[in-house]
Amino acid sequence: MARSDVQLMLDVKAGDEQSFTLLLYRYRSPLVNFLYRMVRNREQAEDLAQEVFLRVYRAREDYVPSAKFTTWLFRIATNLALNSVRDTRYQRMEISLDAPVMLDAEDGEEKTLDVAEKHPNIEQHLVEETQKKMIRHAIEKLPEKQRAAVLLHKYQELDYGEIAKILQCSESALKSLLFRAYETLRVELAPLVAQHGK
Amino acid sequence: MEKKILGYVDGRLKESERLEVEKHLAACAGCRLRANEFRAVSGLLDELPMIEPSEAFDLRVHARVAAEPLKQSWWAWFTSSPRVAVAAAMLLLASVWVGTHSTNNQPQIAQEDIPVLENLDVLSSFDVLSELPPPVQADDGGQQQNPQM
Ligand SMILES: [Zn+2]
């Protein structure tokens, strides 16, 4: 049977480096994806994810399994992401209002024409790409704390209590955050929502 | 009610709450529409593809972990922490300063002991001490103490 996260972490604490590698395999993809949606830059997301693992490793000797491992892990990740987003925004304001915003041209975006040439159903493909782009932009436009709440709720399948602990707010405040985020998303994505709701 | 709609859509409500929301939805077209739209938004979020961490990712994590100083060695801890080093150096300096000062001023310190000795008459009221001969009187400092006794 697979060892639980907490058991792996206790093994790391006892000096077993192999268990750290297992935790790395288990959580690198969820963390990188979460951070990528938060900071919108792949390189930065990977750098922050590495920082999360490093902090987990550094904390191993003091680790006490008081909360769920994922709560602790994503709390570190969320704090790093929120700080990074705020720093980046501040830097951008400092540089210039005209400076180009250096965000990733995301997967698919630059490939679109290339693939479309060979694609048997070009129209369908373009529609799908446009949809994805709209969804991405709608998420990116959310205020960062709402964005974090949506990502943790939707993609990490954490329960309300855990997400509230990660965001350091009450469950009631979290529900408000999520409600406001979904209200914004249903307006931003209205054309798609109308299609999807049929 | 509004705040419970998302919980209803994602299936995280308690049974009693779920029934309560269902009852409301049956009667309220506005909330019914919102529930359907939230469900559609949730479905749209499912369409975003995941990215894969780059191949160098694991290596970088391991490299950064390997670059960590060893906690087991107190010397590594000492040298890796400038604050500890500075504090230790200051402590050393302070003890040297106190040491040189106290050897230079030996007689002065002997005089400063007198107020401490005065307290002995308080101590001598304790049973154990009262059976002993008073130790202070025979001393050199006895003359200075007498007026106060
Ligand atoms: Zn209603």
Side-chain angles (χ1 to χ4, degrees), chain A residues 28 42 153 155 158 186, chain B residues 10 12 37 45 52 58:
Chain A
R28 63 181 167 179
R42 189 175 187 135
H153 169 262
Y155 300 112
L158 301 170
R186 82 182 174 118
Chain B
D10 68 25
R12 295 183 198 206
E37 292 189 341
L45 294 181
E52 273 297 309
D58 296 346

Side-chain angles (χ1 to χ4, degrees), chain B residues 31-46:
Chain B
C31 287
R32 208 157 53 232
L33 177 68
R34 185 175 262 130
N36 282 335
E37 292 189 341
F38 279 5
R39 196 174 284 118
V41 168
S42 180
L44 288 170
L45 294 181
D46 283 328

Side-chain angles (χ1 to χ4, degrees), chain A residues 39-71:
Chain A
V39 303
R40 299 177 281 172
N41 174 295
R42 189 175 187 135
E43 212 175 304
Q44 205 186 348
E46 292 208 354
D47 196 52
L48 289 175
Q50 288 160 22
E51 183 69 29
V52 174
F53 283 114
L54 192 62
R55 290 190 184 198
V56 166
Y57 185 77
R58 277 185 192 148
R60 69 196 181 283
E61 290 187 3
D62 304 317
Y63 178 72
V64 182
S66 54
K68 266 185 83 171
F69 179 78
T70 42
T71 309

Side-chain angles (χ1 to χ4, degrees), chain A:
Chain A
M1 212 180 88
R3 274 176 293 168
S4 70
D5 297 338
V6 167
Q7 190 52 55
L8 285 175
M9 196 57 211
L10 289 172
D11 292 346
V12 175
K13 184 179 182 174
D16 177 21
E17 303 275 325
Q18 202 63 40
S19 295
F20 181 75
T21 305
L22 289 174
L23 282 173
L24 175 63
Y25 289 161
R26 210 173 268 185
Y27 286 105
R28 63 181 167 179
S29 183
L31 274 180
V32 168
N33 275 279
F34 169 71
L35 289 162
Y36 181 46
R37 296 286 165 224
M38 283 303 292
V39 303
R40 299 177 281 172
N41 174 295
R42 189 175 187 135
E43 212 175 304
Q44 205 186 348
E46 292 208 354
D47 196 52
L48 289 175
Q50 288 160 22
E51 183 69 29
V52 174
F53 283 114
L54 192 62
R55 290 190 184 198
V56 166
Y57 185 77
R58 277 185 192 148
R60 69 196 181 283
E61 290 187 3
D62 304 317
Y63 178 72
V64 182
S66 54
K68 266 185 83 171
F69 179 78
T70 42
T71 309
W72 181 51
L73 188 73
F74 277 95
R75 183 154 164 184
I76 299 172
T78 302
N79 286 343
L80 285 173
L82 291 176
N83 285 338
S84 171
V85 169
R86 284 159 193 167
D87 286 353
T88 311
R89 188 172 50 216
Y90 184 70
Q91 280 164 16
R92 271 190 216 135
M93 287 190 321
E94 290 255 291
I95 296 166
S96 161
L97 288 173
D98 315 316
V101 179
M102 291 303 287
L103 300 176
D104 276 8
E106 230 187 296
D107 31 304
E109 214 159 303
E110 56 283 78
K111 287 178 278 177
T112 304
L113 281 177
D114 196 36
V115 180
E117 280 166 17
K118 300 165 202 160
H119 211 277
N121 195 341
I122 299 169
E123 232 174 292
Q124 177 63 21
H125 181 78
L126 287 177
V127 167
E128 281 171 14
E129 285 305 314
T130 311
Q131 278 195 14
K132 281 181 200 162
K133 211 184 285 185
M134 278 182 76
I135 299 167
R136 275 198 298 268
H137 286 189
I139 295 176
E140 285 166 6
K141 276 167 73 180
L142 292 173
E144 57 260 22
K145 205 163 177 184
Q146 285 185 32
R147 188 156 79 236
V150 168
L151 296 174
L152 293 168
H153 169 262
K154 179 66 200 174
Y155 300 112
Q156 305 309 327
E157 292 175 359
L158 301 170
D159 62 40
Y160 287 127
E162 281 182 277
I163 302 171
K165 274 187 204 149
I166 290 169
L167 295 175
Q168 285 156 283
C169 64
S170 67
E171 270 193 54
S172 164
L174 169 67
K175 284 175 187 170
S176 296
L177 273 180
L178 283 170
F179 178 77
R180 273 182 279 146
Y182 269 72
E183 277 294 286
T184 307
L185 289 174
R186 82 182 174 118
V187 174
E188 287 284 325
L189 299 173
L192 302 182
V193 166
Q195 280 177 7
H196 221 84
K198 268 181 211 165

